[in-house]
Amino acid sequence: MPDPGFHIMTKPIGPLCNLDCSYCFYLEKEKLYPGATQWAMPPEVLERYISEYIAAQPPDAPEIHFAWQGGEPTLLGLDFFRNIVTLQQKHTPGKVIRNALQTNATLVDEEWAAFLAEHNFLVGVSIDGPRELHDCYRVDKGQAPTFDRVLRGIARLKAHNVEFNTLTVVHRKNAQHPLDVYRFLKEAGSGFIQFIPVVERKAAQSAGDGLVLIQPSSPQPAEVTDWSVEPLAYGKFLAAIFDEWVKQDVGRVFIQQFDVALESWLGLQQSLCVFRPTCGSALALEHNGDLYSCDHFVYPEHKLGNIADTGLRAMTSSAQQRAFGLAKRDMLPRMCRQCDVRFACNGECPKHRFLTTPDGEPGLNYLCAGYKHFFHHIDPFMQFMASELRAGRPPANIMRFLGR
């Protein structure tokens, strides 16, 4: 059986950010490190991580992919990332290194854009749609809007031919305007679009770790935040965009949820972890070398260790991490196991499983109603496109078929 490898979302500046987005679940992770004054990943931690990550990848992997996130990683400055490239070259045994940088783009100037172009970084830009939908939650530390600064950053990336995609958080407000969001992203030049539903529960008071945005298993009394997307609204958001995309943009604009859905209808393993039967191969590394089971489970009980004490491969293959990954499948409620769209959903992300089924069984996904609506809606189209692919024809043929 081939080694599946693992992927790490690296937080070289931890949760520090120059923005203060209302819905950000990661800003409060600063409380996990009380008294910290140094947030940049120390040089010795950075080099150890890079060398171990490269060494731990499957030997037959032709490329090695690094992902740099935050917080806001550009706060570290260009010299930090120049050192990353130098260290990768030092420790790479003849393999191709690919770097991805997730950013709010507000600090991307000409020098940054030139560096990203020179070293072929794939840049993910966080933007939530047109001005009024983006600025309602994505503000800076002074609560000022950020839309214009993000667009300036995108313009610089485009001027330097930097490959970029967009990550749009789907929240309570922009979920009501799916086509405005989709058409705006296309006009902005995004050819690859990711939609991330924001769902968080806020406890009445913090627990011992100081966090108030709690995980599904927490017994604390909590309520879904008022910026979280509503379940059916999310499904209708995706369906409305799909209806326009399937008529005119197949093969031209790539939307992550639609691509992964087609994998499901083809019977392939989903490339996005939230839709796989099990998880556990996408982890998060904090600035000080602490490794957590997942980016959405950066809580003390999901800490696997620190790379100063334990090797990456030992932590990623540990019994704790295997149990974390298998729990996604093993804790799926009977209602989900019997669902006709389980093959495409698989209960989605465990982070969202805090409801109970009508039978009183725990573990139902908060977004269940939305996913059922979406997957049932796209079924005939997905069947057609899957059939085309199996016959060796492009799925984009569906546009000609629908245009008859």
Side-chain angles (χ1 to χ4, degrees):
M1 184 175 180
D3 185 343
F6 58 90
H7 183 67
I8 291 179
M9 297 181 184
T10 318
K11 314 276 189 176
I13 196 167
L16 294 200
C17 189
N18 60 323
L19 301 192
D20 193 20
C21 302
S22 305
Y23 55 61
C24 183
F25 72 96
Y26 214 80
L27 289 175
E28 71 167 9
K29 303 301 182 184
E30 186 173 343
K31 296 174 183 176
L32 294 177
Y33 299 95
T37 57
Q38 172 62 36
W39 289 97
M41 183 174 282
E44 65 277 9
V45 175
L46 180 65
E47 180 161 13
R48 180 162 188 160
Y49 166 60
I50 288 173
S51 63
E52 285 201 21
Y53 185 74
I54 291 171
Q57 295 305 306
D60 58 345
E63 299 182 346
I64 298 173
H65 294 258
F66 283 84
W68 307 97
Q69 302 191 350
E72 175 49 45
T74 58
L75 286 171
L76 290 162
L78 268 173
D79 285 344
F80 187 93
F81 279 86
R82 291 189 181 106
N83 187 39
I84 284 175
V85 172
T86 299
L87 291 172
Q88 288 172 337
Q89 293 170 346
K90 174 182 174 182
H91 292 284
T92 303
K95 293 189 177 184
V96 176
I97 295 288
R98 303 290 185 192
N99 284 293
L101 177 74
Q102 186 64 42
T103 177
N104 58 45
T106 60
L107 301 179
V108 174
D109 56 16
E110 294 297 325
E111 192 176 10
W112 260 110
F115 168 83
L116 295 168
E118 178 186 358
H119 296 286
N120 299 309
F121 273 62
L122 170 63
V123 178
V125 177
S126 298
I127 186 165
D128 287 355
R131 181 188 304 275
E132 63 276 10
L133 298 176
H134 174 89
D135 282 341
C136 62
Y137 293 125
R138 295 192 65 82
V139 295
D140 64 17
K141 298 298 185 184
Q143 303 303 297
T146 62
F147 180 79
D148 290 331
R149 282 174 276 176
V150 177
L151 283 195
R152 281 197 296 269
I154 290 176
R156 288 172 180 139
L157 294 174
K158 291 163 71 173
H160 285 265
N161 296 313
V162 176
E163 185 180 359
F164 78 97
N165 57 44
T166 52
L167 187 155
T168 296
V169 172
V170 184
H171 49 69
R172 187 71 57 95
K173 294 185 178 179
N174 64 1
Q176 303 302 319
H177 305 276
L179 295 183
D180 290 340
V181 172
Y182 179 50
R183 292 166 184 170
F184 167 79
L185 294 173
K186 289 198 296 182
E187 290 171 6
S190 179
F192 187 92
I193 297 170
Q194 300 177 67
F195 292 120
I196 307 294
V198 60
V199 177
E200 295 290 348
R201 290 192 307 155
K202 189 173 184 178
Q205 58 184 20
S206 64
D209 55 19
L211 306 181
V212 295
L213 298 178
I214 60 174
Q215 59 178 316
S217 62
S218 175
Q220 294 176 262
E223 294 184 355
V224 174
T225 60
D226 58 8
W227 29 256
S228 293
V229 66
E230 295 176 302
L232 188 55
Y234 180 58
K236 290 182 175 180
F237 174 90
L238 292 177
I241 292 173
F242 182 89
D243 286 347
E244 180 157 311
W245 173 84
V246 79
K247 293 175 183 176
Q248 63 188 40
D249 291 326
V250 181
R252 300 170 188 159
V253 177
F254 298 90
I255 299 176
Q256 189 179 48
Q257 278 88 347
F258 304 167
D259 291 346
V260 177
L262 187 54
E263 292 170 347
S264 298
W265 261 261
L266 286 165
L268 303 175
Q269 176 174 267
Q270 295 89 345
S271 56
L272 185 60
C273 63
V274 299
F275 294 122
R276 289 180 181 174
T278 61
C279 60
S281 61
L283 302 94
L285 186 78
E286 256 293 338
H287 68 290
N288 68 336
D290 286 346
L291 187 69
Y292 292 87
S293 290
C294 172
D295 179 46
H296 287 287
F297 284 84
V298 177
Y299 294 93
E301 55 267 50
H302 294 290
K303 178 181 168 181
L304 299 170
N306 188 286
I307 60 172
D309 307 313
T310 311
L312 277 180
R313 175 56 76 180
M315 287 189 284
T316 59
S317 61
S318 66
Q320 179 182 346
Q321 186 63 4
R322 288 197 303 273
F324 174 84
L326 292 174
K328 179 181 180 181
R329 178 197 66 198
D330 297 343
M331 301 299 287
L332 201 61
R334 183 179 64 175
M335 174 181 168
C336 297
R337 296 196 302 271
Q338 297 175 345
C339 180
D340 62 344
V341 294
R342 177 189 172 180
F343 73 98
C345 175
N346 285 305
E348 205 246 4
C349 185
K351 170 183 178 289
H352 300 148
R353 295 184 187 177
F354 53 82
L355 297 185
T356 56
T357 69
D359 295 333
E361 192 175 1
L364 180 64
N365 195 300
Y366 171 81
L367 295 171
C368 175
Y371 280 119
K372 279 189 176 180
H373 175 86
F374 172 61
F375 288 131
H376 285 146
H377 181 82
I378 67 175
D379 177 64
F381 307 98
M382 285 294 165
Q383 288 195 40
F384 181 96
M385 288 191 285
S387 178
E388 290 298 282
L389 274 171
R390 291 190 186 101
R393 297 187 294 265
N397 285 347
I398 195 169
M399 294 187 292
R400 186 168 68 245
F401 178 81
L402 293 174
R404 290 177 182 174

